[in-house]
Short mmCIF file of all heavy atoms in Angstrom, two decimals:
data_model
loop_
_atom_site.label_atom_id
_atom_site.label_comp_id
_atom_site.label_asym_id
_atom_site.label_seq_id
_atom_site.Cartn_x
_atom_site.Cartn_y
_atom_site.Cartn_z
N MET L 314 125.62 88.41 78.83
CA MET L 314 126.03 87.04 78.56
C MET L 314 124.83 86.15 78.24
O MET L 314 124.88 85.31 77.32
CB MET L 314 126.81 86.48 79.75
CG MET L 314 128.15 87.16 79.99
SD MET L 314 128.99 86.55 81.47
CE MET L 314 129.26 84.84 81.03
N MET L 315 123.73 86.33 78.98
CA MET L 315 122.54 85.53 78.72
C MET L 315 121.94 85.87 77.36
O MET L 315 121.43 84.99 76.66
CB MET L 315 121.51 85.76 79.82
CG MET L 315 121.90 85.17 81.16
SD MET L 315 122.17 83.39 81.14
CE MET L 315 120.51 82.79 80.87
N TYR L 316 122.01 87.11 76.96
CA TYR L 316 121.54 87.50 75.63
C TYR L 316 122.38 86.82 74.56
O TYR L 316 121.86 86.38 73.52
CB TYR L 316 121.60 89.01 75.49
CG TYR L 316 121.36 89.52 74.09
CD1 TYR L 316 120.09 89.44 73.51
CD2 TYR L 316 122.41 90.05 73.33
CE1 TYR L 316 119.87 89.90 72.22
CE2 TYR L 316 122.20 90.51 72.04
CZ TYR L 316 120.93 90.43 71.50
OH TYR L 316 120.71 90.88 70.21
N LEU L 317 123.68 86.72 74.82
CA LEU L 317 124.58 86.09 73.86
C LEU L 317 124.37 84.58 73.82
O LEU L 317 124.34 83.96 72.74
CB LEU L 317 126.02 86.42 74.22
CG LEU L 317 127.11 85.81 73.33
CD1 LEU L 317 126.99 86.35 71.90
CD2 LEU L 317 128.49 86.11 73.91
N VAL L 318 124.18 83.96 74.99
CA VAL L 318 124.08 82.51 75.07
C VAL L 318 122.70 82.01 74.64
O VAL L 318 122.57 81.04 73.87
CB VAL L 318 124.39 82.03 76.50
CG1 VAL L 318 124.09 80.54 76.66
CG2 VAL L 318 125.84 82.31 76.84
N GLU L 319 121.64 82.63 75.14
CA GLU L 319 120.28 82.16 74.90
C GLU L 319 119.66 82.74 73.64
O GLU L 319 119.09 82.03 72.82
CB GLU L 319 119.41 82.48 76.12
CG GLU L 319 119.80 81.75 77.37
CD GLU L 319 119.52 80.25 77.27
OE1 GLU L 319 118.59 79.86 76.54
OE2 GLU L 319 120.24 79.48 77.93
N GLY L 320 119.72 84.06 73.51
CA GLY L 320 119.14 84.69 72.33
C GLY L 320 117.63 84.83 72.41
O GLY L 320 116.99 84.44 73.40
N PRO L 321 117.02 85.37 71.37
CA PRO L 321 115.58 85.64 71.35
C PRO L 321 114.71 84.40 71.50
O PRO L 321 113.57 84.49 71.94
CB PRO L 321 115.37 86.30 69.99
CG PRO L 321 116.71 86.84 69.60
CD PRO L 321 117.69 85.88 70.16
N THR L 322 115.20 83.23 71.11
CA THR L 322 114.38 82.02 71.17
C THR L 322 113.97 81.66 72.60
O THR L 322 112.93 81.03 72.81
CB THR L 322 115.14 80.83 70.56
OG1 THR L 322 116.40 80.68 71.24
CG2 THR L 322 115.39 81.07 69.08
N SER L 323 114.75 82.06 73.59
CA SER L 323 114.43 81.78 74.99
C SER L 323 113.82 82.98 75.70
O SER L 323 113.63 82.96 76.92
CB SER L 323 115.69 81.34 75.74
OG SER L 323 116.23 80.16 75.18
N GLY L 324 113.54 84.04 74.95
CA GLY L 324 112.94 85.22 75.55
C GLY L 324 113.90 86.34 75.82
O GLY L 324 113.48 87.44 76.21
N PHE L 325 115.18 86.12 75.61
CA PHE L 325 116.19 87.15 75.81
C PHE L 325 116.33 87.96 74.52
O PHE L 325 117.29 87.80 73.76
CB PHE L 325 117.52 86.53 76.24
CG PHE L 325 117.46 85.84 77.57
CD1 PHE L 325 117.07 84.51 77.66
CD2 PHE L 325 117.79 86.51 78.73
CE1 PHE L 325 117.00 83.86 78.88
CE2 PHE L 325 117.74 85.88 79.96
CZ PHE L 325 117.34 84.56 80.04
N THR L 326 115.35 88.79 74.27
CA THR L 326 115.27 89.51 73.00
C THR L 326 116.21 90.70 72.91
O THR L 326 116.40 91.25 71.83
CB THR L 326 113.83 89.98 72.77
OG1 THR L 326 113.41 90.78 73.89
CG2 THR L 326 112.88 88.79 72.62
N SER L 327 116.76 91.14 74.04
CA SER L 327 117.67 92.29 74.06
C SER L 327 118.50 92.24 75.33
O SER L 327 118.21 91.47 76.26
CB SER L 327 116.89 93.62 74.00
OG SER L 327 116.08 93.76 75.15
N ILE L 328 119.54 93.05 75.37
CA ILE L 328 120.37 93.11 76.58
C ILE L 328 119.58 93.65 77.76
O ILE L 328 119.70 93.10 78.87
CB ILE L 328 121.64 93.95 76.31
CG1 ILE L 328 122.56 93.21 75.33
CG2 ILE L 328 122.39 94.23 77.61
CD1 ILE L 328 123.83 93.95 74.98
N PRO L 329 118.78 94.73 77.60
CA PRO L 329 117.97 95.17 78.74
C PRO L 329 117.06 94.06 79.28
O PRO L 329 116.84 93.97 80.49
CB PRO L 329 117.16 96.33 78.17
CG PRO L 329 118.02 96.88 77.10
CD PRO L 329 118.68 95.68 76.48
N ARG L 330 116.52 93.24 78.38
CA ARG L 330 115.70 92.11 78.83
C ARG L 330 116.54 91.13 79.63
O ARG L 330 116.08 90.58 80.63
CB ARG L 330 115.11 91.41 77.60
CG ARG L 330 114.04 90.38 77.91
CD ARG L 330 112.76 91.01 78.33
NE ARG L 330 111.69 90.02 78.41
CZ ARG L 330 110.54 90.22 79.04
NH1 ARG L 330 110.31 91.40 79.60
NH2 ARG L 330 109.61 89.29 79.08
N GLY L 331 117.79 90.91 79.20
CA GLY L 331 118.68 90.05 79.95
C GLY L 331 119.05 90.64 81.30
O GLY L 331 119.18 89.92 82.30
N VAL L 332 119.23 91.97 81.35
CA VAL L 332 119.52 92.64 82.61
C VAL L 332 118.34 92.48 83.57
O VAL L 332 118.52 92.26 84.77
CB VAL L 332 119.84 94.13 82.37
CG1 VAL L 332 119.93 94.89 83.68
CG2 VAL L 332 121.15 94.27 81.59
N TYR L 333 117.12 92.63 83.04
CA TYR L 333 115.93 92.41 83.86
C TYR L 333 115.94 91.01 84.46
O TYR L 333 115.69 90.83 85.66
CB TYR L 333 114.68 92.63 83.01
CG TYR L 333 113.44 91.98 83.56
CD1 TYR L 333 112.74 92.55 84.63
CD2 TYR L 333 112.96 90.78 83.02
CE1 TYR L 333 111.60 91.93 85.14
CE2 TYR L 333 111.83 90.17 83.52
CZ TYR L 333 111.15 90.75 84.59
OH TYR L 333 110.03 90.14 85.09
N TRP L 334 116.24 90.01 83.63
CA TRP L 334 116.32 88.64 84.15
C TRP L 334 117.40 88.53 85.22
O TRP L 334 117.22 87.85 86.23
CB TRP L 334 116.63 87.67 83.00
CG TRP L 334 116.88 86.27 83.47
CD1 TRP L 334 115.98 85.29 83.69
CD2 TRP L 334 118.16 85.71 83.82
NE1 TRP L 334 116.58 84.15 84.14
CE2 TRP L 334 117.94 84.39 84.24
CE3 TRP L 334 119.46 86.20 83.82
CZ2 TRP L 334 118.97 83.54 84.64
CZ3 TRP L 334 120.48 85.36 84.23
CH2 TRP L 334 120.25 84.05 84.63
N GLY L 335 118.55 89.18 84.99
CA GLY L 335 119.63 89.13 85.97
C GLY L 335 119.22 89.71 87.32
O GLY L 335 119.54 89.14 88.37
N ILE L 336 118.48 90.83 87.31
CA ILE L 336 118.03 91.45 88.56
C ILE L 336 117.05 90.53 89.27
O ILE L 336 117.15 90.31 90.49
CB ILE L 336 117.39 92.81 88.27
CG1 ILE L 336 118.44 93.79 87.74
CG2 ILE L 336 116.74 93.38 89.53
CD1 ILE L 336 117.87 95.12 87.28
N VAL L 337 116.10 89.98 88.53
CA VAL L 337 115.10 89.10 89.13
C VAL L 337 115.75 87.85 89.71
O VAL L 337 115.37 87.39 90.80
CB VAL L 337 114.04 88.72 88.07
CG1 VAL L 337 113.12 87.62 88.59
CG2 VAL L 337 113.22 89.93 87.67
N THR L 338 116.74 87.32 89.02
CA THR L 338 117.39 86.10 89.50
C THR L 338 118.34 86.38 90.66
O THR L 338 118.37 85.63 91.65
CB THR L 338 118.17 85.44 88.35
OG1 THR L 338 117.30 85.22 87.24
CG2 THR L 338 118.76 84.11 88.78
N LEU L 339 119.12 87.44 90.55
CA LEU L 339 120.09 87.76 91.59
C LEU L 339 119.42 88.09 92.92
O LEU L 339 119.95 87.80 93.99
CB LEU L 339 120.96 88.94 91.15
CG LEU L 339 122.22 89.22 91.98
CD1 LEU L 339 123.21 88.07 91.83
CD2 LEU L 339 122.87 90.52 91.54
N THR L 340 118.24 88.68 92.86
CA THR L 340 117.51 89.03 94.09
C THR L 340 116.64 87.88 94.58
O THR L 340 115.87 88.05 95.52
CB THR L 340 116.62 90.25 93.84
OG1 THR L 340 115.75 90.00 92.73
CG2 THR L 340 117.45 91.49 93.55
N THR L 341 116.77 86.71 93.95
CA THR L 341 116.05 85.47 94.32
C THR L 341 114.54 85.62 94.22
O THR L 341 113.80 84.91 94.89
CB THR L 341 116.44 84.99 95.74
OG1 THR L 341 115.92 85.90 96.71
CG2 THR L 341 117.93 84.89 95.91
N VAL L 342 114.06 86.56 93.39
CA VAL L 342 112.62 86.71 93.20
C VAL L 342 112.11 85.60 92.28
O VAL L 342 111.17 84.89 92.61
CB VAL L 342 112.28 88.10 92.61
CG1 VAL L 342 110.80 88.20 92.31
CG2 VAL L 342 112.70 89.19 93.59
N GLY L 343 112.71 85.49 91.10
CA GLY L 343 112.39 84.39 90.19
C GLY L 343 110.96 84.36 89.71
O GLY L 343 110.19 83.46 90.08
N TYR L 344 110.56 85.34 88.90
CA TYR L 344 109.19 85.35 88.38
C TYR L 344 108.92 84.15 87.46
O TYR L 344 107.81 83.65 87.39
CB TYR L 344 108.93 86.64 87.59
CG TYR L 344 108.83 87.85 88.46
CD1 TYR L 344 109.58 88.99 88.17
CD2 TYR L 344 107.98 87.88 89.55
CE1 TYR L 344 109.50 90.12 88.96
CE2 TYR L 344 107.89 88.99 90.35
CZ TYR L 344 108.65 90.12 90.05
OH TYR L 344 108.56 91.23 90.85
N GLY L 345 109.91 83.70 86.74
CA GLY L 345 109.73 82.58 85.84
C GLY L 345 109.22 82.95 84.47
O GLY L 345 108.95 82.06 83.64
N ASP L 346 109.07 84.25 84.19
CA ASP L 346 108.59 84.66 82.87
C ASP L 346 109.66 84.50 81.80
O ASP L 346 109.35 84.38 80.61
CB ASP L 346 108.10 86.11 82.90
CG ASP L 346 109.14 87.06 83.49
OD1 ASP L 346 110.07 86.58 84.14
OD2 ASP L 346 109.00 88.29 83.31
N ILE L 347 110.93 84.50 82.21
CA ILE L 347 112.04 84.23 81.30
C ILE L 347 112.93 83.19 81.97
O ILE L 347 113.28 83.33 83.14
CB ILE L 347 112.88 85.49 81.01
CG1 ILE L 347 112.00 86.63 80.53
CG2 ILE L 347 113.95 85.19 79.96
CD1 ILE L 347 112.76 87.92 80.30
N ALA L 348 113.28 82.16 81.21
CA ALA L 348 114.13 81.10 81.77
C ALA L 348 115.09 80.60 80.70
O ALA L 348 114.70 80.47 79.53
CB ALA L 348 113.28 79.95 82.29
N PRO L 349 116.32 80.32 81.07
CA PRO L 349 117.29 79.79 80.09
C PRO L 349 116.93 78.37 79.68
O PRO L 349 116.43 77.58 80.50
CB PRO L 349 118.62 79.85 80.86
CG PRO L 349 118.23 79.78 82.29
CD PRO L 349 116.93 80.50 82.39
N ALA L 350 117.20 78.06 78.43
CA ALA L 350 116.87 76.73 77.91
C ALA L 350 118.12 75.91 77.60
O ALA L 350 118.06 74.67 77.62
CB ALA L 350 116.02 76.85 76.64
N THR L 351 119.24 76.55 77.36
CA THR L 351 120.46 75.83 77.02
C THR L 351 121.22 75.43 78.29
O THR L 351 121.00 76.00 79.37
CB THR L 351 121.37 76.69 76.14
OG1 THR L 351 121.82 77.82 76.88
CG2 THR L 351 120.62 77.17 74.90
N THR L 352 122.10 74.45 78.12
CA THR L 352 122.90 74.00 79.27
C THR L 352 123.79 75.12 79.79
O THR L 352 123.89 75.32 81.01
CB THR L 352 123.76 72.79 78.86
OG1 THR L 352 122.91 71.74 78.39
CG2 THR L 352 124.58 72.29 80.04
N MET L 353 124.43 75.83 78.90
CA MET L 353 125.31 76.93 79.31
C MET L 353 124.52 78.01 80.04
O MET L 353 124.97 78.53 81.06
CB MET L 353 126.00 77.53 78.08
CG MET L 353 126.95 78.67 78.41
SD MET L 353 128.35 78.15 79.42
CE MET L 353 129.26 77.18 78.22
N GLY L 354 123.33 78.31 79.54
CA GLY L 354 122.51 79.32 80.20
C GLY L 354 122.05 78.89 81.57
O GLY L 354 122.02 79.69 82.51
N GLN L 355 121.74 77.62 81.72
CA GLN L 355 121.30 77.11 83.02
C GLN L 355 122.44 77.08 84.03
O GLN L 355 122.24 77.34 85.22
CB GLN L 355 120.70 75.71 82.84
CG GLN L 355 119.38 75.72 82.09
CD GLN L 355 118.88 74.34 81.75
OE1 GLN L 355 119.59 73.34 81.95
NE2 GLN L 355 117.66 74.24 81.24
N VAL L 356 123.63 76.77 83.56
CA VAL L 356 124.80 76.81 84.45
C VAL L 356 125.04 78.23 84.93
O VAL L 356 125.28 78.48 86.12
CB VAL L 356 126.05 76.26 83.73
CG1 VAL L 356 127.30 76.53 84.56
CG2 VAL L 356 125.90 74.77 83.47
N LEU L 357 124.97 79.18 84.00
CA LEU L 357 125.15 80.59 84.36
C LEU L 357 124.07 81.04 85.33
O LEU L 357 124.34 81.76 86.29
CB LEU L 357 125.15 81.45 83.10
CG LEU L 357 125.36 82.95 83.30
CD1 LEU L 357 126.70 83.23 83.98
CD2 LEU L 357 125.30 83.67 81.95
N ALA L 358 122.83 80.58 85.08
CA ALA L 358 121.72 80.95 85.97
C ALA L 358 121.94 80.39 87.37
O ALA L 358 121.67 81.06 88.37
CB ALA L 358 120.41 80.42 85.38
N ALA L 359 122.45 79.15 87.46
CA ALA L 359 122.70 78.55 88.76
C ALA L 359 123.76 79.34 89.52
O ALA L 359 123.64 79.56 90.75
CB ALA L 359 123.14 77.10 88.59
N LEU L 360 124.80 79.79 88.83
CA LEU L 360 125.84 80.59 89.48
C LEU L 360 125.27 81.92 89.98
O LEU L 360 125.62 82.38 91.08
CB LEU L 360 126.99 80.83 88.50
CG LEU L 360 127.79 79.60 88.07
CD1 LEU L 360 128.83 79.99 87.02
CD2 LEU L 360 128.46 78.96 89.29
N VAL L 361 124.40 82.52 89.18
CA VAL L 361 123.80 83.79 89.59
C VAL L 361 122.91 83.59 90.81
O VAL L 361 122.88 84.41 91.73
CB VAL L 361 122.99 84.41 88.42
CG1 VAL L 361 122.22 85.64 88.89
CG2 VAL L 361 123.91 84.77 87.28
N MET L 362 122.17 82.48 90.86
CA MET L 362 121.30 82.20 92.01
C MET L 362 122.12 82.03 93.29
O MET L 362 121.77 82.57 94.35
CB MET L 362 120.49 80.94 91.75
CG MET L 362 119.48 81.06 90.63
SD MET L 362 118.70 79.48 90.26
CE MET L 362 117.91 79.85 88.68
N ILE L 363 123.21 81.26 93.18
CA ILE L 363 124.07 81.07 94.36
C ILE L 363 124.70 82.39 94.78
O ILE L 363 124.78 82.71 95.98
CB ILE L 363 125.16 80.03 94.04
CG1 ILE L 363 124.53 78.66 93.79
CG2 ILE L 363 126.16 79.94 95.20
CD1 ILE L 363 125.50 77.60 93.31
N LEU L 364 125.12 83.18 93.80
CA LEU L 364 125.70 84.49 94.10
C LEU L 364 124.69 85.39 94.78
O LEU L 364 125.04 86.19 95.66
CB LEU L 364 126.20 85.14 92.80
CG LEU L 364 126.85 86.51 92.92
CD1 LEU L 364 128.12 86.43 93.77
CD2 LEU L 364 127.17 87.07 91.54
#
Side-chain angles (χ1 to χ4, degrees):
M314 293 176 63
M315 290 301 291
Y316 170 70
L317 179 63
V318 172
E319 294 291 332
T322 56
S323 299
F325 296 87
T326 56
S327 64
I328 292 179
R330 190 73 171 164
V332 171
Y333 159 77
W334 173 88
I336 294 174
V337 171
T338 305
L339 193 66
T340 56
T341 69
V342 175
Y344 289 129
D346 52 344
I347 307 176
T351 65
T352 302
M353 181 64 71
Q355 291 173 352
V356 170
L357 181 60
L360 294 176
V361 173
M362 294 173 194
I363 295 174
L364 181 63

